[in-house]
Amino acid sequence: MTTAISVSGVVKSFGRSRALDELDLSVDVGEVHGFLGPNGAGKSTTIRVLLGLLRADAGQVSLLGGHPWRDAVALHRRLAYVPGDVNLWPNLTGGEAIDLFGALRGGLDKRRRDDLLERFQLDPTKKARTYSKGNRQKVAVVAALASDVELYILDEPTSGLDPLMEAVFQECVREVKRDGRTVLLSSHIFSEVEALCDRVSIIRQGRTVESGTLSQLRHLTRTAISVETARPISGLVELPGVHDARVDGAHATFDVDAAELDRVLQHLHRFELRALTSSPPSLEELFMRHYGHQEARAELAGV
Amino acid sequence: MGGTLTGTVRLARLALRRDRVQLPLWIVGTTVLLSGTYAAAQEQFPTEADRLTVLRTAVETPAILMLRNVPTGTSNGEMMAFQIFPFLVVMAGFMSTLAVVRHTRQNEETGRTEMVGSMVVGRHASLTAAMIVTAGANLVLAALLALTLIGNGEPTAGSLTLGLAVGAGGLAFAAIAAIAAQVSQTARAANGIAAAAIGAAYLVRGLGDALGDIRPNGYTMTTAWPSWLSPIGWTSLTQPFAGNRWWLLGLPLALAVGGTWLAFALTNRRDIGMGMVAARPGPATAAPGLLSPLGLAWRLQRGTLLGWAIAVGLFGVTIGSLSSAVEEAFDGNEGATRTIRELGGEGSLIDSFYSAMLAIIGAMVAGYAVQALLRVRAEETGGRAEPTLATGVHRLRWLGSHLAVTVFGAVLLLAIAGISAGLVAGLAAGDTGGRLADLTVAALVQLAPALIMIGFVLAAFGLVPRLAVGIGWAGFAVALIFGQLGELLNLPQAVRDISPFSHVPALPAAEASATPLVLLAVVAMALTAAGMALFRRRDLAP
């Protein structure tokens, strides 16, 4: 088995609104898979379907080789889940909640638990009622990471953590990956996804719009270029694949489609290059391109 | 004050909008109860002679006095007041305390106050808005009750006294709830304190009535001193349609003003979100007993159960200690004995007293069961069921754990009631073993309606989770009104039979019969199984 999660054509409606509209998702064993999408795109709904908390209306779902609804209990012993909005029992302490989740999941590693508490600087004697959002999230993260499981399903696990804790979290995910475990990481934080994920799926309105490695995705998008040449530049704007070009004599800034980069650079050579800076597209730009501009969406639909 | 009240009007309007269904339901429901009882009393006791017979029996029967009110006369209005007056105040009390807690502590607990507090809103605005809305609701209720009575041709003074007494009683409990909301950290605890205050006030007033002296005319009474200690007692002492002592309303109103002042003083002394008692650190690791679905359910429910156990235990002791007074009252009063038998009581008189009291215990325990089981819905909406069910816990095991704790709690409460009543009554009568056995069995029979309510709530939870809380309590209210108040409202037997309370043998007065109990148990089990199966198949609905 090399596929940890396989979802194809899943549909889930709530009343008249369609939360998942033939969504596809494939996560390989041993990879950290980024799961991106704007608010309300269906990330949490997908995760709830994977956990057997919601039942899909149509489509195929397979999780660790089993069926998430039918084999829920057996599968849950092999995975750990951090919800997007961590709610704890107000009158239980953080330590009690961690032990409880661990026990219900089938046991947790005491040494790892204490080590994680130390690293996340979490006081386990406080009642959950007094925890901030970030501290509640730490409880769920510690409980999940201290469990010896094959798959971690993390729904925006760092949205309430400060940058220091975010770094600790990234370190922990790398350790988990080194042990050959699988992680599905839903996130809004691009730097986190870029730093951790092998592959990324981007969803919008309940559909998967992009899926692949980061370099594959980058290939689909544009690089921002700024050049200075010895002689005034001409003929750049007309080249295929060049966008938003601003030519000012011997200076030009523009975006170029990855596929046309080589041809455009050859064109620029004619004017004798003096300086060139290129910035690869960030995941954020990729994301913004899918969601930010109406025209970009229309363009994407044509691809 | 310098702006501590800024934003009150806005918050009051928000509260009214949130309550646009709930408060009208309470107000209309209470009014319907009054007019239903008013009409039924005239149907059941059409002539002066009928009324005298009933009242002469009542003044001799502490059980009736505890549940009704001291009789003041035989007019239509007085008969209605005798039947239902304290209960109307209880209704106003619950309407008020639930509203105050909803708009103060519950908002804080859910973090809504923090959001609102960051806007242009003064420190006292939240509590002020809650009190204004609640005072308005009580005023509307008072007016509606008075108008209903005046519309039926009752004297204006008496109608106004009764209406305003109910409203003033509601306000007094609103102030108690305001204090409770400041002192406790959760809405659940605040509601618990307020409900305990209402229950205690009802019970203390009942003692005052039960221990009162019969006047020379033989059918009216002077209440004993305990009534002066209870807000519900104060309202009863105004004697609508008889004395119309409306100035006594100064007592509940003084409590309302003083209590509200204290609540405001308390808001100045604490931070938003916190109670008066600072949270102490707890254990860093979980005890082994917590580490299972059953352990978790027990941990979540034990506090509620403890509160109920104290209430039920106190009630049991009260029943037991009243029994000798009841027996004395009937010694040598053959007229009353004959009348109560004619009214449907079987067995000895003391046994019919026990039956009436244990029926109340049964209603209380059924209420506990509804509250305890609805905890599963709170877990679901609170987002705590989701991470729990994402572990290796089967849905049925999770739900079954809460079910087990609820059933255990109901059995425990009934046993406590039966044992405490039996022990105290037995020690007084010198027949400890006999009374203990009789009353414990009689109390445990009341498990049947509680099981039906449990099954009903489970079925609602499985089928329509988002409506489960409303349906659960509405079902309980219907069962209570049709079953326990059906006779009072003169409802047809077919309607009364809808309620599980109508089918419980009235032990120890009636003969024990297994058939209705078995049938109730079968219905309860069918509902429970249906609820479990439905929950297993449905989506989680936060």
Side-chain angles (χ1 to χ4, degrees):
Chain A
M1 186 188 69
T2 54
T3 312
I5 298 173
S6 154
V7 174
S8 68
V10 161
V11 175
K12 179 70 195 174
S13 303
F14 298 110
R16 249 173 292 164
S17 76
R18 215 163 208 223
L20 300 183
D21 189 10
E22 304 198 358
L23 182 116
D24 302 312
L25 175 68
S26 173
V27 178
D28 292 338
V29 168
E31 76 167 336
V32 178
H33 195 102
F35 195 35
L36 287 157
N39 296 325
K43 299 190 296 289
S44 295
T45 305
T46 308
I47 288 176
R48 289 193 180 114
V49 168
L50 288 174
L51 291 168
L53 300 169
L54 300 178
R55 197 205 281 257
D57 298 335
Q60 307 294 319
V61 191
S62 158
L63 183 78
L64 300 173
H67 189 280
W69 182 270
R70 274 200 316 272
D71 313 324
V73 173
L75 291 174
H76 291 169
R77 296 214 171 92
R78 297 162 61 195
L79 64 83
Y81 165 54
V82 174
D85 194 1
V86 179
N87 293 291
L88 302 169
W89 299 274
N91 51 346
L92 261 61
T93 64
E96 286 180 312
I98 291 170
D99 288 353
L100 180 64
F101 282 128
L104 298 181
R105 209 171 271 140
L108 89 184
D109 184 340
K110 276 261 180 264
R111 290 235 317 268
R112 185 147 170 77
R113 168 197 192 268
D114 295 340
D115 173 54
L116 285 165
L117 282 177
E118 179 86 33
R119 285 162 76 183
F120 279 104
Q121 294 166 27
L122 180 70
D123 179 356
T125 65
K126 278 193 172 169
K127 294 272 167 73
R129 162 181 302 129
T130 64
Y131 279 140
S132 65
K133 174 177 161 61
N135 279 333
R136 288 203 306 272
Q137 223 151 16
K138 286 184 198 171
V139 169
V141 168
V142 169
L145 292 174
S147 304
D148 179 21
V149 293
E150 297 162 48
L151 170 66
Y152 296 89
I153 297 182
L154 314 175
D155 192 357
E156 294 178 25
T158 57
S159 55
L161 298 189
D162 62 45
L164 273 171
M165 290 301 122
E166 163 81 39
V168 174
F169 171 77
Q170 292 194 11
E171 206 177 287
C172 290
V173 171
R174 282 195 200 95
E175 288 168 14
V176 161
K177 180 180 153 57
R178 216 173 296 142
D179 293 343
R181 299 159 207 256
T182 312
V183 179
L184 177 65
L185 174 68
S186 137
S187 181
H188 270 145
I189 303 169
F190 299 101
S191 61
E192 177 179 278
V193 173
E194 282 182 315
L196 291 175
C197 295
D198 305 300
R199 290 200 307 145
V200 173
S201 290
I202 300 181
I203 70 165
R204 189 169 80 86
Q205 293 178 0
R207 265 172 192 276
T208 312
V209 289
E210 293 289 355
S211 191
T213 63
L214 281 173
S215 53
Q216 278 171 342
L217 292 190
R218 285 208 173 102
H219 214 256
L220 290 173
T221 187
R222 303 162 186 167
T223 305
I225 305 251
S226 167
V227 287
E228 257 193 79
T229 52
R231 293 186 296 279
I233 301 166
S234 64
L236 178 67
V237 185
E238 294 79 18
L239 286 177
V242 172
H243 306 271
D244 303 331
R246 282 178 51 197
V247 182
D248 182 16
H251 183 85
T253 56
F254 58 92
D255 293 343
V256 58
D257 289 343
E260 301 293 330
L261 185 60
D262 189 48
R263 203 173 316 172
V264 171
L265 285 183
Q266 281 178 19
H267 176 80
L268 288 171
H269 268 298
R270 291 178 212 159
F271 310 101
E272 207 173 311
L273 280 165
R274 285 272 162 81
L276 181 143
T277 55
S278 85
S279 4
S282 68
L283 192 56
E284 188 162 355
E285 277 161 337
L286 204 75
F287 193 79
M288 292 301 281
R289 225 187 116 204
H290 281 181
Y291 304 117
H293 316 289
Q294 205 63 42
E295 57 198 76
R297 266 181 226 161
E299 213 172 280
L300 190 80
V303 170
Chain B
M1 295 294 269
T4 58
L5 290 176
T6 313
T8 302
V9 176
R10 257 169 209 286
L11 288 184
R13 277 167 51 190
L14 176 67
L16 276 179
R17 158 121 190 111
R18 282 181 61 207
D19 280 352
R20 64 193 185 282
V21 177
Q22 211 160 351
L23 284 179
L25 269 181
W26 274 103
I27 292 170
V28 171
T30 309
T31 310
V32 166
L33 194 61
L34 170 124
S35 52
T37 313
Y38 181 82
Q42 292 176 54
E43 253 174 71
Q44 282 174 306
F45 319 113
T47 66
E48 177 83 8
D50 292 332
R51 292 176 183 194
L52 283 174
T53 316
V54 168
L55 295 186
R56 286 211 169 95
T57 313
V59 295
E60 301 275 6
T61 317
I64 295 181
L65 291 173
M66 274 198 79
L67 295 183
R68 302 281 189 263
N69 190 20
V70 281
T72 55
T74 55
S75 73
N76 287 340
E78 285 166 316
M79 288 305 286
M80 182 277 300
F82 159 67
Q83 296 269 54
I84 202 81
F85 187 19
F87 198 75
L88 296 176
V89 185
V90 168
M91 294 279 283
F94 275 109
M95 171 183 83
S96 305
T97 57
L98 290 172
V100 168
V101 172
R102 191 162 54 240
H103 297 302
T104 55
R105 177 52 70 179
Q106 197 190 65
N107 276 350
E108 265 187 68
E109 204 183 349
T110 52
R112 284 193 286 259
T113 304
E114 206 170 64
M115 182 100 173
V116 168
S118 65
M119 300 170 201
V120 189
V121 163
R123 164 190 289 276
H124 291 149
S126 180
L127 180 56
T128 312
M131 292 310 283
I132 288 174
V133 168
T134 311
N138 277 298
L139 198 62
V140 172
L141 175 63
L144 210 55
L145 293 182
L147 286 174
T148 306
L149 289 167
I150 293 169
N152 276 305
E154 289 299 318
T156 310
S159 305
L160 279 175
T161 305
L162 186 131
L164 289 173
V166 172
L171 269 181
F173 288 115
I176 290 173
I179 298 170
Q182 301 305 318
V183 176
S184 58
Q185 219 168 34
T186 64
R188 192 191 311 274
N191 279 325
I193 293 173
I198 295 174
Y202 187 77
L203 204 62
V204 168
R205 170 221 59 88
L207 281 177
D209 289 357
L211 301 175
D213 293 323
I214 302 168
R215 294 224 182 100
N217 63 18
Y219 66 93
T220 64
M221 294 186 82
T222 315
T223 46
W225 58 269
S227 286
W228 290 95
L229 302 178
S230 155
I232 301 181
W234 299 336
T235 61
S236 167
L237 285 162
T238 59
Q239 300 183 348
F241 306 109
N244 285 335
R245 301 191 285 179
W246 52 267
W247 60 88
L248 282 175
L249 293 179
L251 288 171
L253 289 177
L255 177 60
V257 171
T260 308
W261 177 83
L262 180 61
F264 276 118
L266 291 174
T267 55
N268 292 334
R269 298 176 55 116
R270 64 179 194 89
D271 296 327
I272 282 178
M274 298 294 135
M276 297 305 292
V277 191
R280 282 164 305 173
T285 56
L290 174 65
L291 299 177
S292 68
L294 191 61
L296 177 62
W298 171 247
R299 173 72 177 268
L300 296 176
Q301 300 225 21
R302 66 181 183 190
T304 312
L305 183 58
L306 181 70
W308 278 94
I310 293 171
V312 164
L314 285 175
F315 196 30
V317 168
T318 312
I319 296 170
S321 50
L322 274 177
S323 64
S324 51
V326 173
E327 268 170 317
E328 274 166 32
F330 283 113
D331 271 351
N333 189 332
E334 280 168 34
T337 312
R338 202 167 47 243
T339 317
I340 204 164
R341 289 242 167 86
E342 280 165 8
L343 283 173
E346 301 163 56
S348 75
L349 279 166
I350 185 68
D351 282 349
S352 42
F353 167 74
Y354 290 142
S355 301
M357 292 296 123
L358 289 175
I360 301 180
I361 299 265
M364 287 170 75
V365 171
Y368 154 79
V370 172
Q371 186 195 12
L373 201 56
L374 282 173
R375 190 71 193 232
V376 292
R377 181 60 193 152
E379 288 289 289
E380 193 179 10
T381 50
R384 296 178 296 264
E386 183 180 303
T388 311
L389 293 173
T391 66
V393 176
H394 196 280
R395 284 184 178 207
L396 293 188
R397 194 165 162 220
W398 176 75
L399 188 54
S401 298
H402 281 277
L403 174 65
V405 171
T406 304
V407 172
F408 167 78
V411 173
L412 183 77
L413 292 178
L414 290 170
I416 288 175
I419 291 171
S420 58
L423 211 57
V424 175
L427 285 173
D431 174 25
T432 317
R435 294 277 166 101
L436 199 56
D438 282 359
L439 288 182
T440 307
V441 170
L444 286 174
V445 167
Q446 298 289 339
L447 184 63
L451 289 180
I452 295 273
M453 289 317 302
I454 286 172
F456 179 76
V457 170
L458 269 181
F461 176 69
L463 190 63
V464 277
R466 284 179 219 280
L467 303 176
V469 175
I471 290 182
W473 285 116
F476 176 66
V478 165
L480 208 59
I481 290 168
F482 287 8
Q484 308 271 29
L485 303 178
E487 206 179 339
L488 202 62
L489 297 169
N490 210 10
L491 297 174
Q493 191 61 40
V495 173
R496 287 189 221 172
D497 282 347
I498 295 171
S499 167
F501 295 113
S502 304
H503 303 279
V504 187
L507 291 183
E511 285 292 308
S513 75
T515 320
L517 292 179
V518 170
L519 282 175
L520 286 173
V522 167
V523 173
M525 274 193 284
L527 285 167
T528 302
M532 300 278 258
L534 286 164
F535 173 64
R536 195 182 166 179
R537 297 185 55 79
R538 76 165 164 85
D539 286 346
L540 224 56

